[in-house]
Amino acid sequence: KVAATYRSPNFEAGGNFTEMKNPSAPEYRIVLTHSIPNIEDHPILKATRNKNIMAVTTLDEAEVNRRIADNEELPVNCEVEINGQKFTIQAEGNSLEEYILQQKMYFDKTGEHLDAKSMSYARLLDSRSGARVVSAYWIPGDRQLYVYAHGPADAHVYLGLRLSRSFKKLA
């Protein structure tokens, strides 16, 4: 049996699920993502850990805050170094809804959850709770999804990106 989703105080202060915002319009689209079990298991995803939002978007703090306030996209556009080699990342962040769907699909396929290691919190750039960006991870012992919200300047060794690309139907 799965426990109810844990919601951190800073996620609840931003309005919880009812006030959470996503810049993507509700429409049909195809979303491509990594099915890597934990962010720390993939070198490119792992390289996004311990970086704040300005570092992964290359936008300045004023522009990041403006985009969050205006509910606009925060594109992933940065360079990371892995074993002395530089890689450019240009992608989209996920929303909490997409992440929950990924969790379900991954569980149905493997019987396990994404981001179940203690160092794999997924920062979800497409979901906002007040002036913060949502993050989530699975706690196996609690059988529970944990949802947090972090400020743009927050950078933690356990907090990294799940990346995606989406394709929308053109009108």
Side-chain angles (χ1 to χ4, degrees), residues 103-123:
Q103 282 281 4
K104 168 80 170 110
M105 291 170 62
Y106 189 77
F107 183 80
D108 287 350
K109 184 177 179 181
T110 67
E112 298 180 6
H113 290 275
L114 298 170
D115 301 316
K117 287 184 179 177
S118 63
M119 298 306 276
S120 279
Y121 291 40
R123 185 183 301 235

Side-chain angles (χ1 to χ4, degrees), residues 24-53:
S24 300
E27 60 189 342
Y28 291 109
R29 58 195 177 122
I30 296 171
V31 180
L32 303 176
T33 65
H34 279 284
S35 60
I36 302 300
N38 297 284
I39 289 170
E40 66 186 64
D41 296 336
H42 190 283
I44 290 177
L45 300 180
K46 184 177 180 177
T48 68
R49 294 186 334 184
N50 210 24
K51 296 186 183 310
N52 64 31
I53 293 176

